[in-house]
Amino acid sequence: MHVRTAAAAVLVLVGGLALASCSSYTAIAPVTPPSAEAFAPELIAKGAQLAAVGDCVTCHTAEDGKSYAGGFAVETPFGTVYGTNLTPDTETGIGRWSETAFARALHEGVDRAGHHLYPAFPYDHFAKTTDEDIRALYAFIMTREPVRARTPANTVIVPRPFVAIWKALYFERGVFQPDPAQDARRNRGEYLAEGLGHCGACHTPRNKLGAEKKDNPYVGGEVEGWHAPALGAVSPSPVPWTADSLAAYLRTGITDAHGLTAGPMAEVVRNLARVSEEDVQAIARHMAALDTRPAEQRKAQATKALAAPPRGRAASTDRGAVIYAGACADCHDRGRAAEGGALPLSLAIAPALPTPGNLIHIIRDGIVPKEHEHAPWMPNFAGALTDDQLTDLVVYLRTLAELPPWNDVAGEVRAAAKEQE
Ligand code: HEC
Ligand code: HEC
Ligand code: HEC
């Protein structure tokens, strides 16, 4: 609440002055919805891939709702904004949007009627998308099944016109320009990761007005109660990422010597699984290049981490170690190579993060594959451990990362329990 009020006050102050000088947008005339035959099948297929890179379905589909029919709640420090109905329904969706109106939404963050859209819709990334790719996205979206579903009203405390101020401060327009000094694959990867892929929307920290701190990219951010880890040179991953391990992880959620994907990243991976191998490889190359540490240093760190033995079976009277030995060691000390085994937790990312939230979420809720999915299954312990036991366990697991203890683990455990009540 505090942040919200302060932010609102700042906006109101700057507002009056700035609004007057900001450009305004006019409505773009409605069109008769184009028929599916108007689009070439190849264009629709290309659009499907680009939509998967952009996670469009994730934010534009309510839990248990019809695909793209809207109603997914994007929580921001300023209130909830709902992903809209993107199906071509003429009343509740975008059936009457021309390609020009659609392109303006992605490039400018403005709807067909000319209103500013909230940046919970990551157009600060999507603006980098070429007209050609927007054409393919439009073809894909306009050929979805129309669904009549009104998007719930959002609860953002900042009135729409004030988004103009946010844009004046933070929004960088302009389609991605390839860097001639980089090879074509790197440019492709950068275009996708920084544009439609909007990796920074979660992995880059945000300022008080919700804008990404562009001068500190990929040093770790917060999303939906999860920490999105730092990527690149300050990555806390025990075994440093390589282009190959990133490519495997981004397509499957799991790769040697790294934890299974969880939380909001699991959705990103589900979407990327539908993207071409080539494009995911390109994204992986771009992300790997962010790690500027010398190759020998990264190799030495990997060798050291991989040599560390699992610790759980060591005789210890530490309460957390005892719980670990009883509840976790059977799978996690065995290693993935063994039947029913899982990654030693000294290699997992969650104990190495700046806050214990992800680890607590994973232990409480497990990592459960969706129906029909063949993926590893981490059991949930929400009912099996008391808050005190979970606290002791989490404090112990932090020692596996050989990092300074976390503050107030008990408080974080209580907060996670409360979230679910
Ligand atoms: C992180 C969540 C998120 C993702 C990912 C996302 N959107 Fe959205 N989108 C939103 C939200 C939230 C809104 C509503 C913003 C508002 O009400 O101001 C929105 C609004 C829109 C609008 C305006 C619709 C209208 O009726 O005003 C379009 C068009 C759109 N999104 C297209 C896309 C496309 C195409 C993709 C994938 C490339 C995509 N979005 C991915 C969250 C998202
Ligand atoms: C029945 C076997 C089993 C038990 C018991 C179990 N896990 Fe897991 N756990 C898994 C599997 C399988 C995965 C995902 C694949 C992997 O890591 O190899 C996983 C994943 C995790 C992850 C995510 C990172 C990673 O390694 O993929 C964490 C953290 C984790 N478990 C912690 C725990 C803790 C703490 C306990 C004890 C309270 C526990 N697990 C008990 C099987 C188990
Ligand atoms: C909706 C938010 C979100 C988006 C978008 C997102 N991530 Fe993530 N990512 C997360 C979260 C949260 C985690 C931590 C959970 C986990 O370990 O799976 C994570 C974990 C990861 C990890 C594992 C880090 C480690 O050291 O174990 C990698 C690598 C990664 N993301 C890369 C990417 C790339 C590349 C993109 C863009 C294509 C991307 N992410 C987009 C939220 C996001």
Side-chain angles (χ1 to χ4, degrees), residues 63-83:
E63 212 175 310
D64 301 324
K66 290 227 167 102
S67 292
Y68 295 103
F72 175 85
V74 183
E75 310 286 352
T76 79
F78 312 98
T80 304
V81 196
Y82 291 91

Side-chain angles (χ1 to χ4, degrees), residues 10-11 14 163-172 209 211:
V10 172
L11 279 179
V14 198
V163 174
I165 302 154
W166 189 94
K167 284 180 175 171
L169 290 170
Y170 304 115
F171 181 41
E172 288 168 26
L209 292 179

